[in-house]
Structure formats: C-alpha cells, structure tokens
Amino acid sequence: TFYRHYADLYDLLDTIVDECFQELFLEPVANAEKDGDFLELGYSYILRVCEVAERKKELYRQLLFGRTNTKLEERMIESTIQLYLSAHEQSSYVPSEEAVLHYRFLAYGIVGLWMSWLKDDCKIPKELVASTAVNQMTAFFQKMNERFWTKERRDAEGTQNE
C-alpha cells in the first residue's frame, strides 16, 4: 500500500518536510496579528517555532542534520527573507540590492540561531533564543532605517518634488 500513496521514499520525505514546514512556518505566519509591532510578532513567532521544534525535536533534528538533504533549512531561510521583503514593500519603497543582501544575512542568522539551539538539544531557554533574535532584528532594522529607507525616502521625495 506504500506505493499507492508515494512514488518512493523521497516522495514520503518530501511530504513530511512539507508538513513540518507548514507547522513551523506557514501556520504561525498565517495566524499572526497583521497590525501588531513587527518585533513583538517576531518574538512570538520565534518562540512558537521553538515550542513546535522542542515537542518534535528528534524529527526536526533528523530533517535538518540527518544524512538526507531535506531543504527544510533552505525553505525557512527563503521564506524569512520574503517576510522581510513584504514588510519593506508595505512601506511603498523598493529595497535596494544591498538591502536585500542585509535581509538575507539576517534570515540566515536567525534560522542558524534556531538550528544551533535545536542541535544543542534545546538546552538554552527558548525565551532567550527568541529575545536574542529580536535584539538582533531591532539593531538591524534601526540600521536599515537609517541607511536604506531614509535614503530611499529622500530619493523618492526628491523625485516627486521635481
């Protein structure tokens, strides 16, 4: 009956990864308050990801650190980058190439922090993981606002005044 549902073991693995990605990333994002503070939402989201992963840590550790490349890490990073870009687009300003690189750097750092926590058997309190990530996001977005968004706004306002 296995082959009635799946083409092979890799098809089953892809299905498991899809379900885990849905549980870890898509459901919390879809259920998040849309008009809350971005950093508060980030904290509650990261905390939620930690809680889900902690309950099923052996599964997630196998998917992320096992012998088979499941692409779960890659999907989480790319989706995190898309979240940052969508928040940026809500401000009506297109991010520069350099800003996108900064978003990518931050996404890798946050997902890497979470993966490190998971690999270390979730020993550090998940609240500390979430607050550390949010502290990094806070510093990052302050710098982004000073360096990129302010420049983009000045450039856009200069274009509109001409």
Side-chain angles (χ1 to χ4, degrees):
T1 62
F2 174 83
Y3 289 104
R4 286 186 189 170
H5 302 286
Y6 305 102
D8 54 25
L9 286 175
Y10 295 106
D11 188 32
L12 171 62
L13 185 59
D14 287 343
T15 300
I16 292 169
V17 169
D18 288 344
E19 289 174 5
C20 289
F21 181 71
Q22 175 81 25
E23 180 179 43
L24 271 178
F25 192 85
L26 298 178
E27 288 174 9
V29 169
N31 295 330
E33 295 288 329
K34 301 300 181 204
D35 37 321
D37 177 75
F38 186 74
L39 296 172
E40 288 175 15
L41 295 175
Y43 178 86
S44 62
Y45 169 72
I46 294 166
L47 197 58
R48 161 91 168 118
V49 168
C50 289
E51 289 167 353
V52 169
E54 192 172 33
R55 282 195 306 268
K56 299 177 180 179
K57 66 182 170 185
E58 292 308 315
L59 170 64
Y60 286 105
R61 289 170 71 173
Q62 190 62 38
L63 291 175
L64 290 163
F65 310 115
R67 292 182 300 184
T68 304
N69 180 3
T70 64
K71 300 190 186 244
L72 179 60
E73 174 186 9
E74 184 179 313
R75 288 177 71 183
M76 290 184 69
I77 289 168
E78 290 304 317
S79 296
T80 301
I81 293 166
Q82 291 307 312
L83 274 179
Y84 295 143
L85 290 173
S86 67
H88 192 114
E89 289 169 2
Q90 289 175 6
S91 68
S92 303
Y93 298 100
V94 178
S96 66
E97 287 178 359
E98 187 177 359
V100 173
L101 289 175
H102 285 274
Y103 288 137
R104 186 168 295 284
F105 181 81
L106 181 63
Y108 271 87
I110 289 174
V111 173
L113 175 67
W114 171 77
M115 287 178 59
S116 173
W117 171 80
L118 186 62
K119 192 172 193 173
D120 196 30
D121 203 28
C122 312
K123 291 178 185 171
I124 297 170
K126 57 188 163 281
E127 296 81 7
L128 180 58
V129 173
S131 65
T132 300
V134 168
N135 288 340
Q136 293 303 309
M137 288 170 53
T138 301
F140 172 82
F141 285 117
Q142 286 173 343
K143 189 61 137 177
M144 287 291 289
N145 191 35
E146 293 168 11
R147 183 164 181 181
F148 297 107
W149 290 10
T150 303
K151 181 185 180 309
E152 290 171 1
R153 287 184 179 129
R154 280 195 312 260
D155 291 348
E157 289 169 2
T159 305
Q160 291 174 355
N161 293 336
E162 291 177 359

